[in-house]
Amino acid sequence: MTETTPVAELLFGEADATPFDTDEATIKPWDEARACLESAPKAWLSTARPDGRAHAVPVLLVWAGGAPWITTRPGSRKARNLAVNPHCVITVTGENLDLVVEGRATRALGGGELRRVADAFRAKYRWELSVRDGSVHEDHLPGSPEYGFYRVTPTRAFGYGADGMTATRWRFE
C-alpha cells in the first residue's frame, strides 16, 4: 500500500484568537511528523470501550508499508475495543514535535504483510516474533502467545511544536 501525503495547514488562524503562531511558515512538513512516529520509543494508543469509555495504554510502534503499526494480544482490552470500533488515536512526544494521529486500525491477516511488520519490530526493538499459519507468535514465551498487528491508517493528525506556540494540522484525503 502506498503512503498518502496529507494536506498540511495551520491548526489555528488569526480569527481563532489563540496564542498559537499564525504564520504559515511555521507549518511542519509531514516528513517531520513521520520521523517523529518512526523514532518514538513508544506511543500511547487511545481507543473506546464498547460502552464509550476511553481507554489509553502505551504501545510499541513501528513504521512499515507507509503507515504506523502497533501490536497487541488478540484478547487484550485494546484489541477487543478495536474489534468493535476501529477508530483510535496515537500520541507520541518527540524532541521537536508532540504528535496526535487520528485514524482507523485494521488488523493484518496476510503472510507477507505480517512478515514485513515483524521485521520492523525486530529492527526497531530487537523483538523476535514468528509468523506461521497466518498468525504472529512470540516463541520465546511459554505457550508461544499470539499477537495481532494493527495498521493505523491516519485520517488527520496534529503536531505541536516544542516551543508551545506552533501547531500544524494534516488532513489525509
Side-chain angles (χ1 to χ4, degrees):
M1 186 171 224
T2 60
E3 183 177 350
T4 302
T5 302
V7 174
E9 58 196 6
L10 286 171
L11 181 55
F12 300 105
E14 289 184 29
D16 292 316
T18 70
F20 285 94
D21 196 325
T22 58
D23 181 356
E24 290 194 5
T26 66
I27 293 174
K28 305 277 189 209
W30 176 246
D31 287 346
E32 189 173 331
R34 177 183 164 167
C36 183
L37 284 167
E38 286 182 281
S39 65
K42 70 177 177 186
W44 284 87
L45 175 71
S46 298
T47 59
R49 296 171 192 263
D51 65 5
R53 290 181 299 138
H55 178 260
V57 64
V59 293
L60 300 180
L61 178 139
V62 296
W63 191 273
W69 291 79
I70 59 107
T71 186
T72 187
R73 302 279 305 277
S76 70
R77 168 50 50 206
K78 55 191 165 290
R80 294 190 321 252
N81 291 349
L82 292 172
V84 173
N85 179 353
H87 297 280
C88 61
V89 175
I90 294 172
T91 56
V92 299
T93 296
E95 188 174 321
N96 298 313
L97 190 65
D98 293 328
L99 190 61
V100 177
V101 179
E102 298 177 358
R104 287 181 65 91
T106 306
R107 185 168 176 184
L109 300 173
E113 195 170 46
L114 294 175
R115 180 79 264 149
R116 182 175 55 247
V117 177
D119 289 345
F121 275 102
R122 181 173 55 267
K124 183 172 181 180
Y125 298 105
R126 296 187 181 125
W127 188 16
E128 290 291 332
L129 295 164
S130 302
V131 176
R132 64 178 184 279
D133 302 325
S135 61
V136 179
H137 297 271
E138 185 170 9
D139 292 333
H140 303 305
L141 292 179
S144 187
E146 181 181 354
Y147 287 82
F149 290 153
Y150 292 82
R151 177 192 181 102
V152 178
T153 302
T155 54
R156 68 183 148 192
F158 306 90
Y160 302 91
D163 60 5
M165 299 304 296
T166 57
T168 301
R169 172 179 37 228
W170 297 275
R171 290 182 290 117
F172 296 78
E173 300 177 336

